[in-house]
Amino acid sequence: MKILTTVKRVVDVELNIHIENGAIVEDGLQYVINAWDENGVEAAVQLKENNNAQTTLVSIGEQDNTDMIRKCYAMGIEDAILIDDPALVAPDAFAYAGILQKVYEKGDYDLVITGKQAQDTDSGQTGIILAEYLQLPCVSNVISIEVMDEAHIRVSRLGDSGTEIVEITLPAVVTVSDSINEPRLPAMRGIMMAKKKKIQVMDLAALGTSVEAVGGAAPKSEVAEFMKSKTRQAGQKFEGDAAQITAQVVELLANEAKVF
Amino acid sequence: MAKILVIADIKEGVLKGSTAELLSKAKALSAQTAVVAIGSNIESLIADMAAAGSDTQYIADDKSLELFSAGPYAACVVAAAQQFEADMIWFGFSEAGKAAAPRVAAQLNAACATEIIDVTLEGEQIQVIRPAIAGKVIQRIQVNTQTLVAVVRAGAFEATPGITGTQNMVKLSIPAPDLKAVIKQILSDASGEIDLADADIVVSVGRGARDQAGIDLVRELARDLSAGFGSSRAMVDGGFMAHNKQVGQTGKIVAPTLYMAIGISGAIQHLAGMTGSKTILAVNKDPEAPIFNVADYGIVGDLFEVIPILRQEIKKIRG
Ligand SMILES: Cc1cc2nc3c(=O)[nH]c(=O)nc-3n(C[C@H](O)[C@H](O)[C@H](O)COP(=O)(O)OP(=O)(O)OC[C@H]3O[C@@H](n4cnc5c(N)ncnc54)[C@H](O)[C@@H]3O)c2cc1C
């Protein structure tokens, strides 16, 4: 089984984000691997270890994606492709999916694993649109993957009224939730080996496409403005005798907030 | 006049309130409204769908649509959107909506925006507002296509009192089942407890409750209040709470009148699921816990001591 797993480099959500004139201030930002993609990488590596799958990773971005890719090598990914093209400016999910479609078609993959969403946009579209473009079956929000035979996997996904068990005929696309696994911390030996591994860098021409062809030149939607989110104000905090402060808070809930 | 198609949110044979909320917003934009309803044995809900504010009801009612499958579900929405010539297609917040919306957009060559909290329409120009980066920023998105497919965040719009519509049922042809992704079973985690999405009050429990005994203690509080009983991811990962109880970025987004965070630290991913609540109460023994930065009322204390008192005091007030 050949697996293609996608990883995006995103802004670290744990740090503060400042906005000026409708844009995010780059200064002081840090970038990390998208957490859900890291779950995808872990899932791919587990399939390698348990089911002899071959693992290829693809990332779309710039040279500074290489640190993240090396981390994935250290986790156990075998091959990596970096799509780096200066013509790509702020691609939307459709453009990402268009590029991934070309990457998919160049390989002979049985399964594509993406994170269920990226932490910078929180959109959750790319993997699903990719499947539409490729006319492949797709299951999103997956929390387990089990290989049935060479042509079938059984997955479970979190649905609206419970855990849905779905049997999928390969090739297919799945998007994974963080509930699927706990990504491993790479061992020292893996980290050392990852340093020496090659990363295949391609631009869109090498992929046999162009920014126009993937819809990157005319996005279907674009961010016109970033704004600060309305942060809630910290309210009243009570410390001291539990009986006394709890009674006080209940009184406020009833008479000030009027929730009871 | 713009045309807005709303996907009817039906659960266990009941039309959920979010349908009327989305239709109310559509009417506020002076749009022509329709719903598309997909499932099994749902024709009886036509009157409810009209009463919720729709003027046309596209119905795909078939045994084969009983269990959610994203492919056929999206096919029904696409068919309705094409017949109605919809400018916008709105899903309520649900896993079904999140799975189907990008498919529908790809098939209609439309733009797609998830988790939207507002939408404006000036002439033909559509813009939406949505949070991103775990709720740390808000984006204003300009839509460059004629058609937009959107998933609306829970609690974004309010139902207009007295909203009505007209009954005009249009039957859709039933799509072929997806033979390449076959849903075999749903392991329902129905616990007989109130659905978080419907609850007026949500009580959520975190790692501070430690174990089953701690959870049971907090659940009693939720029972007293007829509240939804939710959880942080820590207690789901720990195997104490079902997945569908998780509140946060990966779980449910809730916006109740009152949210009680009991023994929850307030990680950014948890906050992303509950800061839309009207009033927030936090109980945490650590005065520096980030949950206090978003709580209207904070009790610094040991939950094992505080919860019994809280129950007693609430009983006194509510009688
Ligand atoms: C990609 C991703 C997605 C995620 N999605 C979600 C999500 O959807 N929802 C979610 O909740 N998390 C999510 N998380 C996890 C999140 O980062 C936190 O790890 C999690 O929310 C912590 O849960 P907690 O607050 O219960 O536990 P902790 O952070 O361990 O906090 C426990 C709190 O209990 C307090 N406490 C301890 N004992 C007591 C006591 N006796 N009385 C009172 N207070 C006490 C402590 O002071 C502490 O503040 C996600 C993480 C990632 C990376």
Side-chain angles (χ1 to χ4, degrees):
Chain A
M1 185 193 292
K2 275 185 78 179
I3 298 174
L4 179 66
T5 177
T6 65
V7 295
K8 189 178 187 187
R9 183 172 176 267
V10 297
V11 53
D12 186 348
V13 299
E14 302 293 343
L15 299 178
N16 280 334
I17 291 173
H18 299 286
I19 291 173
E20 253 175 51
N21 302 325
I24 292 175
V25 179
E26 275 292 319
D27 225 27
L29 290 184
Q30 285 198 24
Y31 288 86
V32 292
I33 179 172
N34 173 37
W36 287 288
D37 290 343
E38 196 170 352
N39 293 112
V41 166
E42 176 64 34
V45 172
Q46 287 183 14
L47 288 167
K48 178 187 90 172
E49 291 166 346
N50 302 332
N51 301 87
N52 282 319
Q54 288 166 266
T55 52
T56 302
L57 167 154
V58 58
S59 187
I60 301 167
E62 293 169 23
Q63 283 307 313
D64 37 20
N65 282 31
T66 50
D67 283 354
M68 174 187 75
I69 294 172
R70 294 208 184 280
K71 179 180 178 188
C72 299
Y73 270 152
M75 287 173 73
I77 291 287
E78 295 152 296
D79 288 300
I81 304 166
L82 171 62
I83 308 297
D84 179 5
D85 195 310
L88 273 176
V89 187
D92 65 1
F94 293 90
Y96 276 120
I99 296 166
L100 294 174
Q101 176 182 9
K102 290 293 170 188
V103 175
Y104 176 89
E105 285 166 354
K106 274 203 173 293
D108 185 20
Y109 301 104
D110 302 292
L111 179 63
V112 182
I113 303 177
T114 77
K116 73 169 186 139
Q117 69 197 58
Q119 281 168 301
D120 51 355
T121 64
D122 288 331
S123 278
Q125 300 177 21
T126 302
I128 300 172
I129 295 171
L130 171 66
E132 276 297 317
Y133 284 177
L134 292 168
Q135 294 286 299
L136 292 182
C138 176
V139 178
S140 57
N141 207 20
V142 162
I143 57 164
S144 75
I145 304 174
E146 179 197 333
V147 176
M148 297 167 69
D149 57 48
E150 261 170 36
H152 299 89
I153 56 174
R154 185 184 292 119
V155 303
S156 47
R157 85 179 277 274
L158 292 180
D160 289 309
S161 48
T163 303
E164 301 168 0
I165 314 293
V166 187
E167 289 182 4
I168 312 177
T169 305
L170 300 176
V173 179
V174 297
T175 81
V176 297
S177 158
D178 48 291
S179 306
I180 192 171
N181 55 39
E182 187 68 46
R184 69 191 64 194
L185 293 172
M188 206 52 207
R189 187 164 160 272
I191 295 170
M192 297 313 289
M193 303 231 305
K195 287 196 175 135
K196 293 187 220 115
K197 288 196 80 140
K198 281 219 168 60
I199 297 170
Q200 192 185 352
V201 184
M202 289 173 138
D203 61 11
L204 294 179
L207 261 188
T209 188
S210 67
V211 70
E212 290 81 16
V214 297
K220 290 185 166 56
S221 64
E222 56 198 291
V223 180
E225 184 188 4
F226 282 98
M227 293 170 275
K228 268 209 185 110
S229 61
K230 282 184 226 104
T231 41
R232 294 182 76 102
Q233 297 292 320
Q236 310 171 52
K237 189 164 69 180
F238 298 84
E239 294 183 61
D241 175 57
Q244 197 188 334
I245 61 175
T246 305
Q248 207 173 341
V249 166
V250 170
E251 195 272 325
L252 286 166
L253 284 172
N255 297 323
E256 188 179 81
K258 301 198 190 310
V259 293
F260 297 138
Chain B
M1 205 199 238
K3 291 181 171 184
I4 299 177
L5 175 69
V6 168
I7 287 67
D9 187 4
I10 297 170
K11 220 172 167 190
E12 277 140 30
V14 179
L15 184 69
K16 291 293 185 173
S18 75
T19 310
E21 290 166 10
L22 270 54
L23 287 165
S24 296
K25 178 68 182 179
K27 293 222 157 165
L29 292 172
S30 309
Q32 221 173 308
T33 58
V35 291
V36 53
I38 303 149
S40 175
N41 279 325
I42 53 172
E43 243 180 76
S44 56
L45 296 173
I46 293 284
D48 290 353
M49 291 181 220
S54 64
D55 292 324
T56 306
Q57 298 81 32
Y58 294 94
I59 305 290
D61 190 342
D62 192 78
K63 187 88 185 108
S64 68
L65 296 168
E66 189 178 341
L67 300 184
F68 171 76
S69 172
Y73 194 84
C76 295
V77 176
V78 167
Q82 284 170 338
Q83 287 187 38
F84 186 53
E85 297 179 344
D87 301 294
M88 288 198 251
I89 296 126
W90 292 354
F91 290 85
F93 182 82
S94 61
E95 290 305 333
K98 287 197 269 185
R103 288 177 185 249
V104 172
Q107 288 175 32
L108 294 172
N109 207 13
C112 187
T114 52
E115 306 243 348
I116 70 162
I117 53 173
D118 201 4
V119 52
T120 59
L121 187 62
E122 272 173 39
E124 306 231 302
Q125 176 65 62
I126 306 169
Q127 294 204 342
V128 300
I129 305 285
R130 65 185 295 278
I133 319 186
K136 287 207 158 165
V137 302
I138 303 286
Q139 299 176 325
R140 181 163 59 84
I141 305 240
Q142 178 181 314
V143 175
N144 298 331
T145 51
Q146 260 180 7
T147 316
L148 169 72
V149 179
V151 181
V152 179
R153 206 168 221 248
F157 306 142
E158 272 178 35
T160 313
I163 189 170
T164 54
T166 44
Q167 282 191 38
N168 172 27
M169 180 169 82
V170 180
K171 286 202 176 184
L172 297 172
S173 54
I174 305 305
D178 187 344
L179 298 176
K180 290 189 162 175
V182 181
I183 173 138
K184 289 287 176 185
Q185 196 187 353
I186 297 184
L187 308 173
S188 162
D189 19 38
S191 49
E193 285 169 4
I194 297 152
D195 194 339
L196 287 181
D198 298 338
D200 207 33
I201 300 178
V202 172
V203 175
S204 282
V205 62
R207 205 193 314 260
R210 286 203 299 260
D211 53 18
Q212 196 57 50
I215 287 179
D216 291 343
L217 181 74
V218 182
R219 184 186 282 118
E220 288 306 315
L221 171 65
R223 290 223 173 109
D224 289 352
L225 291 165
S226 304
F229 188 47
S231 171
S232 71
R233 195 182 83 178
M235 292 319 253
V236 174
D237 286 354
F240 295 111
M241 296 286 288
H243 278 295
N244 71 338
K245 296 289 180 190
Q246 182 171 323
V247 171
Q249 235 191 341
T250 291
K252 299 264 163 32
I253 311 262
V254 298
T257 312
L258 175 62
Y259 187 86
M260 297 189 179
I262 313 294
I264 293 177
S265 61
I268 177 89
Q269 296 90 355
H270 188 79
L271 299 187
M274 44 66 82
T275 43
S277 307
K278 210 152 154 222
T279 300
I280 297 172
L281 165 72
V283 179
N284 198 303
K285 70 174 182 188
D286 173 9
E288 302 303 322
I291 192 73
F292 288 124
N293 298 333
V294 300
D296 301 283
Y297 304 102
I299 298 175
V300 180
D302 182 345
L303 71 89
F304 291 92
E305 191 186 350
V306 169
I307 296 301
I309 305 172
L310 193 57
R311 290 183 61 200
Q312 219 172 37
E313 291 295 329
I314 291 173
K315 269 190 195 137
K316 264 196 231 162
I317 278 214
R318 299 179 100 209

